[in-house]
Amino acid sequence: MKLCFNEATTLENSNLVKDLEYCNKHGYDYIEIRTMDKLPEYLESHSMDDLAQFFNENHIKPLALNALVFFNNRSEKEYKEVIEEFKSMLETAQKIGAPYIVAVPLVTEQKIVKAEIKNSCVQVLNELSELAEPYGVKIAVEFVGHPQCTVNTFDQAYDIVQAVNRDNVGLVLDCFHFHAMGSKLEDLKQADISKTFIVHIDDTEDFPIGFLTDEDRVWPGLGAIDLAAIFSTLKEKGYDDAVSVELFRPEYYQLNAEEAIKTAKETTIKAISEYYSFQTTKSYS
């Protein structure tokens, strides 16, 4: 399995330059680049050519641009803005060689019936799929385990992806989101694993379903998520792509960025070493 770092884990104590340096140093294979903050900050003093050159010259590679947010059930004006943002992301992904763009469903206080959510998601994802195909980029839909997210369980997200039925549209399976709204392991066991493009690893404090927030995440293996059940299932079904560590814990943002990146790697490998081995576990000078 390949090891990836999601930049949310150092959201407040690092930047893209540091994340790239430390992740490459500590043997990560991939990085998920935050397009809403860390990439724009990087481009204030660097170019996209600089970023592409870094990936060409170093071990670490881009896994995904994270993320196209709130893509479904939007107004006509908002929908056009989503499409234009996605087109720009496709150019970026092609330039730096990122194979995936993560797409996050709408989070809203508005009540929308599930049929309308599904219809909107399927319609938008079909259009995004058509746009992405010439670029060779895939769309990884990330359901979010909060009551206010329009797509908040694995089975709901999987049903949408199955309805789209395109090779370049699949899922992000985030362990926190899987746990947070009570997604069922049986649904994962019955799913086509080729539709899971990216796995996010994390853990959480033991709060009830529906009350968990991103800030409750802890290092993998130190919380209440049954990571053993999830990763043994993934292994049994043949998943062997990237696992990306992603946390949003405020106290971890107080750590030195390199320490956080090193700890993220160590806890991830320890948490799932019974099921997966990592080709890259050494550090680079």
Side-chain angles (χ1 to χ4, degrees):
M1 176 173 274
K2 299 290 187 179
L3 182 63
C4 180
F5 183 79
N6 184 295
E7 287 196 287
T9 310
T10 53
L11 181 58
E12 296 179 9
N13 58 343
S14 189
N15 55 39
L16 180 53
V17 171
K18 291 180 180 180
D19 288 344
L20 288 169
E21 175 189 351
Y22 296 143
C23 287
N24 194 61
K25 175 181 177 181
H26 289 284
Y28 283 83
D29 302 291
Y30 292 112
I31 189 167
E32 285 188 83
I33 297 174
R34 283 182 60 91
T35 55
M36 62 284 287
D37 38 50
K38 287 192 174 182
L39 181 58
E41 179 189 32
Y42 174 89
L43 293 174
E44 290 175 4
S45 55
H46 300 77
S47 70
M48 204 65 74
D49 287 332
D50 293 332
L51 187 55
Q53 183 178 354
F54 180 89
F55 287 126
N56 286 333
E57 295 177 350
N58 290 278
H59 170 79
I60 195 168
K61 298 294 183 280
L63 179 69
L65 300 180
N66 194 322
L68 181 74
V69 297
F70 305 166
F71 66 85
N72 58 296
N73 297 95
R74 306 304 298 270
S75 68
E76 184 176 350
K77 178 178 180 294
E78 291 168 337
Y79 178 62
K80 290 179 180 178
E81 292 171 352
V82 167
I83 295 299
E84 290 307 309
E85 181 180 358
F86 185 70
K87 289 178 179 178
S88 176
M89 294 176 78
L90 286 171
E91 296 290 339
T92 298
Q94 184 180 61
K95 181 73 174 180
I96 65 175
Y100 298 107
I101 293 175
V102 175
V104 176
L106 177 67
V107 176
T108 178
E109 296 288 340
Q110 179 186 357
K111 288 185 175 181
I112 307 173
V113 297
K114 291 181 73 173
E116 290 182 17
I117 294 169
K118 180 178 179 178
N119 289 340
S120 176
C121 285
V122 170
Q123 177 186 346
V124 177
L125 288 169
N126 270 299
E127 181 168 356
L128 298 182
S129 172
E130 292 281 357
L131 292 170
E133 190 169 1
Y135 291 85
V137 172
K138 294 184 177 182
I139 303 153
V141 181
E142 182 171 9
F143 64 95
V144 176
H146 299 306
Q148 291 79 22
C149 187
T150 51
V151 183
N152 57 26
T153 61
F154 177 86
D155 64 323
Q156 184 189 10
Y158 184 74
D159 179 58
I160 289 166
V161 165
Q162 287 291 92
V164 174
N165 193 28
R166 290 177 177 263
D167 290 341
N168 65 348
V169 178
L171 294 176
V172 176
L173 170 55
D174 184 298
C175 295
F176 172 84
H177 294 315
F178 191 90
H179 172 87
M181 284 297 290
S183 291
K184 298 176 182 177
L185 192 65
E186 192 60 34
D187 291 328
L188 177 59
K189 289 180 177 179
Q190 294 177 3
D192 177 359
I193 201 62
S194 70
K195 289 298 185 182
T196 297
F197 290 167
I198 300 171
V199 172
H200 285 172
I201 189 169
D202 31 46
D203 217 324
T204 182
E205 296 183 83
D206 195 11
F207 294 115
I209 289 173
F211 285 89
L212 288 158
T213 62
D214 281 329
E215 291 76 13
D216 300 321
R217 300 186 190 208
V218 295
W219 299 121
L222 302 186
I225 299 177
D226 192 351
L227 294 177
I230 294 172
F231 281 92
S232 62
T233 299
L234 290 170
K235 180 67 173 180
E236 182 179 334
K237 292 184 68 65
Y239 181 86
D240 197 30
D241 295 320
V243 59
S244 182
V245 58
E246 181 189 38
L247 290 89
F248 294 84
R249 193 166 182 85
E251 68 189 75
Y252 295 170
Y253 294 149
Q254 305 305 310
L255 300 173
N256 172 276
E258 184 172 10
E259 179 185 355
I261 287 168
K262 184 171 181 287
T263 302
K265 174 189 173 181
E266 292 171 348
T267 55
T268 295
I269 291 175
K270 183 178 180 180
I272 61 174
S273 60
E274 182 178 345
Y275 311 102
Y276 287 98
S277 60
F278 292 84
Q279 297 176 7
T280 300
T281 57
K282 65 180 181 178
S283 295
Y284 292 82
S285 59

